[in-house]
Amino acid sequence: MQRFLCKGSVSGMDKVQEPEFPVRKVDTASLKALAHPLRVQILEMLSRYGPQTACSLAELLDESSGATSYHLRQLAKFDFVHEVQGKGTARERWWERPRGAIQITSPELAHSPATQEASRLVTREFERSRQAVLADFMAHGMDSLDEDWLDAAIVNTANARMSAEQLGRYARSMEAFARNLLEEIRNEPEADDARPVQIHFNAFPILGVPAWAGDKKSRDAKSHAAATEGKES
């Protein structure tokens, strides 16, 4: 799981009890170490498919095993990945991503142009990967999945007008609820028909909004002007 915004408290609505779930807050050194497209892709593959070797990651990413092996070692130096104990050999090591979320941005990191650019690179790469998976599902899901999977899947968008406090309250409550349910499912025995599933939940302010559309007084004035246009003598 990747988390790009700072943690916040839930207030003003029924709080959802969050399970113990580690959130890794990166510092400057670890953020710069992560800021490489192939390293972000390696983390994404480990998240999707579980423990992998350098060779299996190379096959998934169409890279050389030498490249994936090198970047795995660099990620391991900053605890983004670690070896799977009791699995593999000295010549074929298995790697996994530690449980928990990674918080890429924070007020502390936002003050430095260098860390801002590193953060942008990491978030762009995670987002590119997410968009590719969603586009593939939208384009080919109906041809490759049976009815049960198509019925279970959902791509949903909702729009609302909110204050920053309301958006934060909504996002944290939804995150806590989703995390509880996901941990519950993860603790169940794996079904025979289980397959990798990716879950998206986005909640963010829309940028580039026209001034009149983003301001209630201006919006109301524009609506009134439109309603009275052509009626004045």
Side-chain angles (χ1 to χ4, degrees), residues 109-168:
L109 297 175
H111 293 303
S112 166
T115 53
Q116 285 180 8
E117 184 54 37
S119 177
R120 290 190 188 102
L121 187 152
V122 174
T123 55
R124 279 198 305 266
E125 193 58 37
F126 275 130
E127 185 59 30
R128 184 203 62 78
S129 178
R130 284 200 298 268
Q131 290 177 354
V133 171
L134 179 58
D136 188 49
F137 168 74
M138 298 296 288
H140 305 293
M142 293 187 66
D143 300 326
S144 58
L145 297 172
D146 60 33
E147 188 174 340
D148 287 344
W149 281 102
L150 291 173
D151 185 57
I154 183 171
V155 177
N156 185 31
T157 299
N159 288 281
R161 296 191 64 80
M162 298 185 186
S163 67
E165 184 277 330
Q166 289 170 325
L167 175 59

Side-chain angles (χ1 to χ4, degrees), residues 37-140:
L38 186 52
R39 295 177 191 177
V40 176
Q41 292 167 24
I42 286 172
L43 286 187
E44 184 68 21
M45 293 302 104
L46 294 175
S47 296
R48 289 186 197 175
Y49 305 119
Q52 302 290 323
T53 65
C55 289
S56 64
L57 284 167
E59 185 174 355
L60 286 168
L61 295 169
D62 195 24
E63 293 281 348
S64 70
S65 59
T68 54
S69 179
Y70 169 77
H71 287 294
L72 280 166
R73 293 195 300 272
Q74 300 309 305
L75 288 168
K77 288 180 180 179
F78 292 88
D79 298 320
F80 287 113
V81 303
H82 56 231
E83 283 192 64
V84 180
Q85 297 299 317
K87 188 173 185 178
T89 64
R91 299 187 63 179
E92 185 181 57
R93 295 189 288 179
W94 285 78
W95 300 87
E96 65 183 355
R97 179 176 170 176
R99 177 177 174 273
I102 300 174
Q103 181 175 312
I104 303 300
T105 60
S106 69
E108 294 77 16
L109 297 175
H111 293 303
S112 166
T115 53
Q116 285 180 8
E117 184 54 37
S119 177
R120 290 190 188 102
L121 187 152
V122 174
T123 55
R124 279 198 305 266
E125 193 58 37
F126 275 130
E127 185 59 30
R128 184 203 62 78
S129 178
R130 284 200 298 268
Q131 290 177 354
V133 171
L134 179 58
D136 188 49
F137 168 74
M138 298 296 288
H140 305 293

Side-chain angles (χ1 to χ4, degrees), residues 21-39:
F21 191 83
V23 177
R24 164 78 180 275
K25 297 182 180 182
V26 299
D27 56 19
T28 300
S30 58
L31 176 60
K32 289 181 177 179
L34 181 58
H36 186 288
L38 186 52
R39 295 177 191 177

